[in-house]
Amino acid sequence: MSGAYFQRDRDWHPPALTPGYKTSVLRSPRQALLSMPTTPSEETGPVFGHDVLGPLDNDLIRNFAKDGEAIGQRIVVYGRVLDENARPVAGALVEFWQANAGGRYRHKKESYLATLDPNFGGCGRAITDAEGRYSFRTVKPGAYPWPNGVNDWRPAHIHFSVFGHAFAQRLITQMYFEGDPMIGQCPIVKTIPDPAAIERLVAALDRNATIPMDSLAYKFDIVLRGRRSTLFENRMEGN
Amino acid sequence: MVQRLDYLKESPSQTAGPYVHIGTNPNWVEITGVWKDDLGLVLVGPETVGERILVEGRIIDGSGALVRDALVEIWQADAAGLHNSPTETRGTADPAFAGWARQPVSDADGLFRFETIRPGRVPFSGGGLQAPHVTVWIVARGINLGLHTRLYFGDEAEANSVDPLLNRIPDPVRRATLVAPRTERDGMPVFTFDIRLQGDGETVFLDM
């Protein structure tokens, strides 16, 4: 039997109100969160079968191709989904989305002057294997200006959405690239108070995993909440 | 020094940003041909057991403005109170009811709307049953970590009065922010769940 999910460390995550990221000012609750141990409503969650995936779902260089491949620096992004107990999370749906090599998103509300790439959509997904591994290939996204300060730019980043085994583990985050000098300047990165936590979102260049004469590789592991194991069974039900 | 605990730290959250739909609802933002259907659009089919209901609402920021770029996910039990999940330990849920759905709020009117069924009651770890509820999770530009809340049903007063979560909210005004009033439209019950992120009538958000 297993028990409740570990409490989230909300000093490690970004707080809701982070005025340097201006949109958070009106979209952050002012009241304290209500806490309660997880119940079956949070300890269960949707799980997606491999039948939802198409053969090119994890290949952003080709999954929107019209008359060629996406333009940009070809990369492989790979990693594992683990929980806080360091156990692999198998069968986890990982979704990712990003701008193209010039920093332009394919979204109807986006108006940045950098051009769209006719062969790049920007979305992908994968389901982790028995060891919690996922991988995809794409082009490295470009930096992107945004209306926060008068001259704020996002570092190159890929958004990740992850489903574990329980709705309590649901997480959306962003992956950054090793060595990018803009990471330390970004108001969204800086919503995270602890530099050690920021490092956890920076993917490492992995020369051993590159495909020679083809693609560089970055490693990005994702950690979801862990679950208590019941050492002594004090209750016969309710776990 | 003491022995080290070997736990990993959870990956820190970041905002989903304004273009979350590229990854979650690509067809909705006209990125077509990558995958056939966006995930999580339909909850209920002809085989699904349970009373059909509509759940709808809007998300309102601290200035009273509608949040039009949010993504809303819901997760709930089936009519018998079981979840369609491998981690459900109490039995097998209705296979015709996924229990999970997600939708971008509409650009035009800022509404999210789910056609679903009324969930059954789910036990509480301390014993007893929780009132019927739907887990609601919101991400958007400006929200650094997904906001988790619950919808309870306005016509379940008796169950709501003994619900362990609702009873943790001492202020009846705040408790009422989680209880969606019932109306009817074309003979179907409609539960309206407006979510106020900040200020007057601020919705209760959960740390669970």
Side-chain angles (χ1 to χ4, degrees):
Chain A
M1 290 293 275
S2 292
Y5 276 82
F6 298 160
Q7 178 176 320
R8 264 195 166 128
D9 180 353
R10 289 179 181 268
D11 294 328
W12 176 257
H13 284 286
L17 175 60
T18 48
Y21 174 25
K22 294 181 180 179
T23 314
S24 77
V25 173
L26 286 173
R27 294 186 174 193
S28 46
R30 288 292 174 274
Q31 301 285 334
L33 302 180
L34 178 73
S35 60
M36 192 167 94
T38 54
T39 77
S41 303
E42 295 76 35
E43 293 160 9
T44 57
V47 168
F48 304 91
H50 288 270
D51 56 328
V52 307
L53 297 187
L56 294 176
D57 279 10
N58 69 340
D59 185 354
L60 281 68
I61 290 178
R62 287 168 56 201
N63 71 14
F64 192 75
K66 300 294 181 248
D67 57 4
E69 297 192 331
I71 293 171
Q73 189 194 349
R74 298 160 69 90
I75 59 170
V76 170
V77 178
Y78 80 96
R80 297 176 79 200
V81 179
L82 304 164
D83 69 14
E84 289 171 292
N85 295 309
R87 296 191 183 109
V89 182
L93 176 67
V94 182
E95 301 167 305
F96 23 87
W97 65 99
Q98 63 169 92
N100 70 20
R104 174 71 187 265
Y105 283 99
R106 186 175 288 278
H107 190 287
K108 53 191 176 182
K109 288 185 181 171
E110 143 66 292
S111 58
Y112 180 39
L113 55 78
T115 45
L116 284 169
D117 177 343
N119 294 309
F120 187 76
C123 59
R125 56 190 179 182
I127 292 178
T128 58
D129 70 10
E131 281 77 49
R133 294 177 299 210
Y134 74 91
S135 64
F136 60 98
R137 71 170 188 167
T138 184
V139 294
K140 189 175 177 183
Y144 169 80
W146 59 301
N148 188 65
V150 292
N151 189 23
D152 279 336
W153 290 68
R154 297 302 322 283
H157 64 279
I158 300 176
H159 296 264
F160 278 72
S161 164
V162 190
F163 292 82
H165 294 169
F167 213 65
Q169 296 177 304
R170 192 80 181 85
L171 183 72
I172 284 184
T173 188
Q174 300 182 28
M175 180 199 113
Y176 305 100
F177 291 84
E178 178 180 0
D180 187 340
M182 299 177 66
I183 294 171
Q185 303 170 9
C186 174
I188 288 177
V189 174
K190 289 195 287 188
T191 62
I192 300 172
D194 186 339
I198 293 172
E199 284 179 14
R200 300 294 304 282
L201 298 184
V202 183
L205 174 67
D206 183 354
R207 291 286 299 275
N208 291 344
T210 60
I211 305 169
M213 306 304 288
D214 184 334
S215 302
L216 285 174
Y218 286 87
K219 174 177 179 264
F220 185 61
D221 286 344
I222 299 161
V223 179
L224 303 181
R225 289 169 74 183
R227 194 172 187 184
R228 224 175 275 287
S229 51
T230 310
L231 299 180
F232 292 91
E233 195 79 60
N234 291 323
R235 294 189 299 261
M236 294 312 290
E237 59 180 15
N239 282 319
Chain B
M1 291 296 286
V2 299
Q3 295 187 10
R4 286 182 183 279
L5 297 172
D6 294 327
Y7 299 113
L8 302 177
K9 292 295 285 185
E10 188 185 10
S11 296
S13 175
Q14 292 269 263
T15 180
Y19 307 130
V20 57
H21 321 100
I22 293 173
T24 60
N25 299 76
N27 291 292
W28 189 72
V29 289
E30 293 149 26
I31 301 176
T32 54
V34 181
W35 45 81
K36 189 163 153 282
D37 299 308
D38 294 343
L39 273 184
L41 292 183
V42 178
L43 269 161
V44 171
E47 310 291 313
T48 309
V49 177
E51 180 194 2
R52 268 63 174 168
I53 60 171
L54 278 176
V55 162
E56 63 181 32
R58 301 172 305 163
I59 303 171
I60 301 149
D61 77 8
S63 72
L66 290 180
V67 174
R68 296 173 189 272
D69 52 9
L71 180 75
V72 181
E73 294 190 3
I74 64 169
W75 172 243
Q76 65 166 89
D78 71 5
L82 294 168
H83 294 96
N84 191 340
S85 169
T87 48
E88 173 60 82
T89 57
R90 295 170 294 124
T92 303
D94 178 0
F97 183 65
W100 172 82
R102 71 177 167 199
Q103 277 182 20
V105 300
S106 143
D107 284 336
D109 52 14
L111 268 175
F112 60 86
R113 178 179 291 125
F114 295 97
E115 185 180 346
T116 183
I117 53 139
R118 185 190 298 265
R121 295 179 74 174
V122 173
F124 177 58
S125 53
L129 291 173
Q130 306 182 76
H133 61 271
V134 174
T135 293
V136 180
W137 192 71
I138 307 159
V139 293
R141 177 172 68 103
I143 296 176
N144 291 325
L145 172 60
L147 292 170
H148 176 176
T149 185
R150 279 186 179 186
L151 176 158
Y152 287 87
F153 296 91
D155 60 359
E156 299 269 7
E158 192 180 329
N160 291 344
S161 71
V162 295
D163 181 78
L165 187 143
L166 289 174
N167 279 308
R168 285 187 176 224
I169 309 169
D171 177 353
V173 176
R174 297 222 69 214
R175 199 181 310 154
T177 67
L178 300 189
V179 182
R182 174 189 170 131
T183 54
E184 280 191 18
R185 191 183 304 144
D186 304 326
M188 190 183 272
V190 180
F191 295 91
T192 303
F193 190 56
D194 285 341
I195 297 168
R196 288 181 171 77
L197 299 179
Q198 182 190 99
D200 287 345
E202 184 175 306
T203 299
V204 172
F205 296 102
L206 308 176
D207 181 13
M208 291 184 74

